[in-house]
Amino acid sequence: MSAFEHLLQPIKIGNLELKNRLLMTPMGTELGTQNGHSTPAEAAYYAERAKGGTGLVMTGINFVSGIFDPIAPGLARIDTDAHTPGIKAIADAVHAAGGVLALQLTMGLGRNNQYCQTLNMEPRSASDNTWFFDPSVRCKPLEIEEIQRIVADTGDAARRAYHAGVDVIDIHGHTGYLVDQFMSSCWNRRTDQYGGSTENRCRFPSELIAAIKQNAPGLPVSFRISVNHRFAGGRTWQETQEIVQHLERAGIDLLICDDGSYEAMDYVFPPYYLGDDCMVSAAEAVKPVVSIPVAACGNITVDNGERILARGAADMIGVGRGLIADPHIIRKIEAGQPDRIRPCIRCNQLCTGNAFNGKPIGCAVNPEVAREAERVITPTDSPRKIAIVGAGPAGLEAARVAGLRGHTVDVYDKEDRIGGVLFPAATPDFKRELRKMIDWWDGELALLPNVSIHLGTEITADSAELDDADEVIVAAGSLPVHPPIRGIDSPIVMEVIDAHTGERRPGKRVIICGGGLSGADLGLELAQDGHEVTIVEMLDEIARDMLFLNRVSLLRSLAEHNVQILTSHKVVEITDTGVVVEGPDGEKSLAADTVVAAFGVRPAQALTEELTKVSAGAPFAARTPERRVHPVGDCVAPRKVGDAINDAYELAFSI
């Protein structure tokens, strides 16, 4: 009996039987053309998830019309017959890979459409709601004739999807977008047949369902719904329970349940601060009141997904970013190798972050995302001997890819464990998935007989270990910045990395000097452990280069744990009893038992410079004609972990 017997069970959605209960939840890819046509890269992206055994592969949003709701360049569309061939190419690719395809249709973003002013269109909504991006602007309510036009356009889109060979059609009804604005009493104040009672507020989605069923006969229809908006005055699960019963009567075959809204954006794309299973309660609230299948989603690992199904909390498990990180989840489970599933670290950096910035989808831990057709690791015809200095994220990823290419790889690190600074940085419970990445690399490298790891080995430019290397990859990481502050060497000072490791236990009162991501995350970790924490930052806000939706969660968590944040203050002295800071109101002293130095990092470039015999910043050249030196990761420039991993993959792939 499989440890994942519930996840691997087939399930019927309408008249369609799926091979297992893993659903790829929809996320936009930004892989289309500027006018919204699908591309071969997009088809390959979805096909890879089908190849990996996913029960139902679902696309991101496809706009059914741009008449009342602006469609930004690059967003997927299905509003003309010219878009059908691109959708058909995706369906054909998914089917060829043995999968089943669901196409998500969006009727518009309404008050949440950020492109209204850019594209010179008036924001529209169910009622005269405020425009999310500028509350001084009011939306114009859609007229009855306009609502009916959207319904007709949805029917046309369903017809195109049907002829393209799509297997399931999903309605984009969550997150406070247009359909949600009609269903929710907080946004729908209409007095006509589309407002008032729950039945009337569900009239618009009910008509959409009917139009889809009429134009795509036999295709199951799913519905993505936010059960709890997670903001004061928003829709709660009690109101949603009434709504989903109307949706079932209207003909919906599957409900995909989550939480959140633009007012609680972090629940839409939950970062690691929200922890595991952060929205399973949404499915649990809906399942008792309907008879159709219900899918749960929200930071669900496959192990947790199996437990959720086993206890009857949901009928399917929705995974989005996890299937971006590893498209072969089901295949690895079927092979009895769930430990080989590459974890999603929930950073949102290159998936959601790219989407919000109009860039093609990527992944911090899977550099093959969006390049599935071209980044296929094959054995090299010219195997080389490669020495890698540093077993952090960049060094480990470079070793994995170079090993798969068939090179002989030796990895050296002066520490007695792999992971580099990722190891201590991932100590908080909310970063457990980041720690799992180290275990994943460890397991993957152990399967490569041509890769050897040498711990407790410090490498210098004269080390004999480099003598017979054809290529040297320097992944030496970074060094802490020590600004010229009086008392920086005080005995109460510890480095941010040391504070993570626990080798020195911070005192009860902790002042963290530096409000970057490292300092802020440490502040939350220590506060959760019962310390009294103050973060001092010289800029006017902390974690300012962090993706905004992650930052929402971070700031809320810091506030919930009573972390004091002192911005626009500079540390001018560290004493034996605390720190002296200077701010807009002059100097003041802050008492502390421990002061943590989190002033940032600088690249560790010394080894690269010695090996290449050039000064920092100059072009890198080979030390000898036979040996090439390649710096990668933080030793080039400090960056986020995803950038280091992607750069290391690209480097090793090219050798």
Side-chain angles (χ1 to χ4, degrees), residues 172-426:
H172 192 214
H174 74 144
T175 313
Y177 289 137
L178 185 62
V179 175
D180 204 356
Q181 288 159 39
F182 271 85
M183 295 190 302
S184 306
S185 57
C186 61
W187 293 309
N188 187 338
R189 296 175 299 280
R190 301 177 74 100
T191 56
D192 58 17
Q193 64 264 43
Y194 290 99
S197 66
T198 304
E199 181 179 4
N200 280 358
R201 285 185 279 112
C202 288
R203 190 178 305 280
F204 179 41
S206 296
E207 291 177 350
L208 295 172
I209 296 165
I212 292 171
K213 295 258 181 181
Q214 180 180 353
N215 286 274
L219 293 196
V221 180
S222 61
F223 196 102
R224 185 84 182 268
I225 187 166
S226 295
V227 175
N228 188 335
H229 284 148
R230 298 271 182 176
F231 74 93
R235 196 173 70 232
T236 63
W237 63 269
Q238 291 95 335
E239 183 181 352
T240 301
Q241 282 187 329
E242 295 182 34
I243 289 172
V244 294
Q245 293 176 69
H246 284 282
L247 296 178
E248 180 177 12
R249 285 193 289 271
I252 284 296
D253 300 290
L254 168 68
L255 287 162
I256 305 169
C257 300
D258 60 21
D259 284 343
S261 56
Y262 271 39
E263 286 76 6
M265 180 65 81
D266 52 330
Y267 276 90
V268 182
F269 306 100
Y272 48 72
Y273 300 110
L274 293 184
D276 289 352
D277 308 340
C278 58
M279 295 185 288
V280 173
S281 60
E284 290 176 316
V286 164
K287 186 165 168 52
V289 300
V290 296
S291 60
I292 56 177
V294 172
C297 58
N299 285 357
I300 301 176
T301 64
V302 290
D303 293 300
N304 288 354
E306 174 66 19
R307 286 189 280 268
I308 291 164
L309 293 172
R311 71 172 189 261
D315 303 291
M316 293 192 74
I317 298 302
V319 174
R321 293 164 302 168
L323 277 164
I324 298 173
D326 194 329
H328 300 140
I329 289 176
I330 291 294
R331 293 286 175 255
K332 290 177 180 179
I333 289 173
E334 290 174 334
Q337 299 174 323
D339 55 318
R340 293 197 66 190
I341 296 172
R342 178 167 31 203
C344 166
I345 62 175
R346 304 169 183 171
C347 65
N348 285 328
Q349 179 190 349
L350 300 177
C351 51
T352 304
N354 279 11
F356 273 106
N357 291 304
K359 298 178 181 178
I361 193 170
C363 180
V365 299
N366 182 4
E368 292 170 359
V369 169
R371 299 184 178 183
E372 284 80 5
E374 59 188 79
R375 285 194 169 173
V376 179
I377 299 176
T378 55
T380 178
D381 294 329
S382 304
R384 312 275 283 171
K385 185 170 177 55
I386 300 176
I388 299 177
V389 183
L396 294 172
E397 181 65 4
R400 184 186 74 87
V401 177
L404 289 171
R405 292 272 287 141
H407 299 294
T408 299
V409 182
D410 287 279
V411 183
Y412 302 94
D413 199 287
K414 64 182 179 181
E415 302 293 337
D416 60 0
R417 42 100 184 131
I418 65 171
V421 296
L422 196 64
F423 187 88

Side-chain angles (χ1 to χ4, degrees), residues 8-24:
L8 296 179
Q9 269 183 7
I11 186 173
K12 204 165 187 180
I13 305 299
N15 58 4
L16 177 68
E17 184 165 296
L18 305 176
K19 291 182 290 187
N20 58 68
R21 299 188 177 221
L22 183 64
L23 158 73
M24 180 179 179

Side-chain angles (χ1 to χ4, degrees), residues 46-69:
Y46 288 117
E48 192 67 23
R49 277 77 204 159
K51 179 182 175 184
T54 306
L56 181 60
V57 175
M58 186 172 287
T59 72
I61 60 174
N62 291 264
F63 279 79
V64 303
S65 175
I67 298 175
F68 309 114
D69 213 293

Side-chain angles (χ1 to χ4, degrees), residues 273 524 528 552-563:
Y273 300 110
L524 179 56
Q528 289 175 337
V552 168
S553 255
L554 170 63
L555 294 178
R556 185 178 60 239
S557 298
L558 290 171
E560 289 172 351
H561 288 85
N562 300 313
V563 174

